[in-house]
Amino acid sequence: MYLRGVMNQQGQPGSAIEETLRVVGDRWSILLVRAGLRGIRRFDDFCDDLGIARPVLTERLRRLVKFGIFERVRYQDKPVRYEYRLTEAGLALSPALVALVRWSEEYSQEVSSETTLVHAPCGTELEQAFWCRSCQTTFGPHAVKGVGVNDES
Amino acid sequence: MYLRGVMNQQGQPGSAIEETLRVVGDRWSILLVRAGLRGIRRFDDFCDDLGIARPVLTERLRRLVKFGIFERVRYQDKPVRYEYRLTEAGLALSPALVALVRWSEEYSQEVSSETTLVHAPCGTELEQAFWCRSCQTTFGPHAVKGVGVNDES
DNA sequence: CTACTGAGTTCGGATTTCGAACTCAGTCTC
DNA sequence: GAGACTGAGTTCGAAATCCGAACTCAGTAG
């Protein structure tokens, strides 16, 4: 097989997505982002909502803050209290989340097969597509070059 | 099939995405899917490409097979050899992957900001959008109802 | 004075991950 | 036909993570 410029062994850069998954690719981080999108901001609320262990939550939030996905905001002074809010970068993870939710709905028979993701203004179930500004068209994953979907085969 | 029966700690069913992340939400699984999309199929190639430890790869592949994302295919008899191919469900994870790659490129500090994802026919950098069949429009994450993106704010 | 809140820390034990070396059947090279 | 090689794993002990439960610390409320 041919490796195209991706060195991932020791301390090498690795591709962008590998770094990203090193930050966000654990069992909790994406769930934390989702909780953030649902409006959860406080330590104890994350804890209760996800059932994550406190020390792990502490460490995870610290890391997500460090990588600019959440920010730690003082929201009260008397007893000093902080909460965690998604940054713009954190919000920008929502397409990935939506894709995961859609996949979950389609391939996990389990439980409600009710559609949970809709276009807010009209209530229609949403589709996810790629958009080409030049061509003014939408297209599916097979016309994407770069993840390797269409490399060789 | 697929994800039926995945429980969280307390034995509760949990929402669809929680189950999904329980299967796919670790440091390696998504990278394995990506490697699969890039055409990698053999045990040793996954190993070399990702630098994943062999015992972990064994366990991870077994799980992904169990949940219908990869299938284990005998491709040779003389010495019996198996390889791992993405199933349809596995391929269907590509939108999530693409979303992550795009996010990585845009927000991940470090490394080249060269565009790696393009619309194959024309070479334009792709955008990712949601598509409403009823309205015949694309829209961004803020018009999505269901992940909580539009709760308050 | 006591109880409670919120955001953490500390603890010891259980689980997961790691790299390196080993296995095992068959095949290729000399 | 002896030795090296291949591919798909296992086995090992050490190191890193994860866990729940209990504790801390500042301030507030009764």
Side-chain angles (χ1 to χ4, degrees):
Chain A
M1 289 294 157
Y2 56 103
L3 271 167
R4 206 165 17 185
V6 182
M7 290 291 98
N8 33 26
Q9 294 295 27
Q10 311 285 53
Q12 303 306 83
S15 62
I17 196 175
E18 279 166 14
E19 293 165 37
T20 297
L21 287 175
R22 207 154 296 139
V23 175
V24 125
D26 69 285
R27 183 143 138 272
W28 296 113
S29 296
I30 296 189
L31 254 17
L32 287 173
V33 172
R34 172 163 167 267
L37 287 169
R38 299 216 319 284
I40 290 176
R41 298 183 169 178
R42 309 248 261 262
F43 192 92
D44 281 13
D45 291 337
F46 282 112
C47 232
D48 296 346
D49 189 65
L50 300 181
I52 184 176
R54 291 165 154 275
V56 179
L57 177 58
T58 300
E59 196 275 333
R60 223 37 42 113
L61 284 173
R62 238 192 272 284
R63 192 163 76 196
L64 292 173
V65 166
K66 178 174 163 196
F67 286 97
I69 291 166
F70 278 95
E71 56 185 340
R72 187 162 176 266
V73 181
R74 164 182 281 188
Y75 71 94
Q76 176 182 299
D77 286 313
K78 320 296 282 290
V80 185
R81 291 288 137 84
Y82 298 92
E83 64 179 14
Y84 296 86
R85 297 189 196 164
L86 285 171
T87 61
E88 199 198 333
L91 270 169
L93 278 167
S94 58
L97 242 144
V98 166
L100 278 174
V101 171
R102 279 184 55 71
W103 188 90
S104 308
E105 284 175 358
E106 190 159 353
Y107 293 99
S108 122
Q109 313 290 40
E110 180 83 35
V111 191
S112 57
S113 59
E114 43 174 324
T115 303
T116 60
L117 291 178
V118 298
H119 182 206
C122 79
T124 302
E125 177 176 5
L126 70 83
E127 324 226 320
Q128 200 167 22
F130 305 113
W131 171 252
C132 179
R133 209 182 317 136
S134 302
C135 305
Q136 295 278 308
T137 54
T138 60
F139 53 95
H142 287 285
V144 176
K145 193 157 76 185
V147 227
V149 186
N150 57 344
D151 299 354
E152 58 100 52
S153 79
Chain B
M1 262 305 259
Y2 300 119
L3 296 176
R4 185 177 315 218
V6 181
M7 301 289 170
N8 60 19
Q9 293 167 308
Q10 293 79 16
Q12 318 295 54
S15 64
I17 197 175
E18 279 167 14
E19 296 165 36
T20 296
L21 287 175
R22 218 162 291 269
V23 175
V24 126
D26 68 285
R27 180 143 144 270
W28 297 113
S29 297
I30 295 189
L31 289 173
L32 287 173
V33 171
R34 171 162 168 268
L37 286 169
R38 300 216 318 284
I40 290 175
R41 299 183 169 178
R42 310 248 259 260
F43 192 92
D44 280 12
D45 292 336
F46 282 111
C47 233
D48 296 345
D49 189 64
L50 300 181
I52 183 176
R54 291 165 155 278
V56 179
L57 178 57
T58 301
E59 196 275 333
R60 223 36 41 111
L61 283 173
R62 239 192 270 285
R63 191 163 78 196
L64 292 172
V65 166
K66 179 175 162 195
F67 288 100
I69 291 166
F70 277 95
E71 56 186 340
R72 187 164 177 264
V73 180
R74 162 181 283 185
Y75 70 94
Q76 176 182 297
D77 285 314
K78 323 294 283 290
V80 185
R81 292 287 138 84
Y82 298 92
E83 64 179 13
Y84 295 87
R85 296 189 195 164
L86 285 171
T87 60
E88 196 198 334
L91 272 170
L93 278 167
S94 58
L97 239 143
V98 167
L100 278 175
V101 171
R102 277 185 55 69
W103 187 91
S104 308
E105 284 173 1
E106 192 159 351
Y107 293 99
S108 160
Q109 36 246 48
E110 174 117 49
V111 196
S112 57
S113 57
E114 43 176 324
T115 302
T116 61
L117 290 177
V118 298
H119 181 206
C122 77
T124 302
E125 178 175 8
L126 71 80
E127 324 229 317
Q128 199 167 23
F130 306 114
W131 171 252
C132 181
R133 209 183 317 137
S134 300
C135 305
Q136 296 278 305
T137 54
T138 59
F139 51 95
H142 287 285
V144 176
K145 194 157 75 186
V147 226
V149 186
N150 57 340
D151 301 351
E152 62 88 63
S153 90

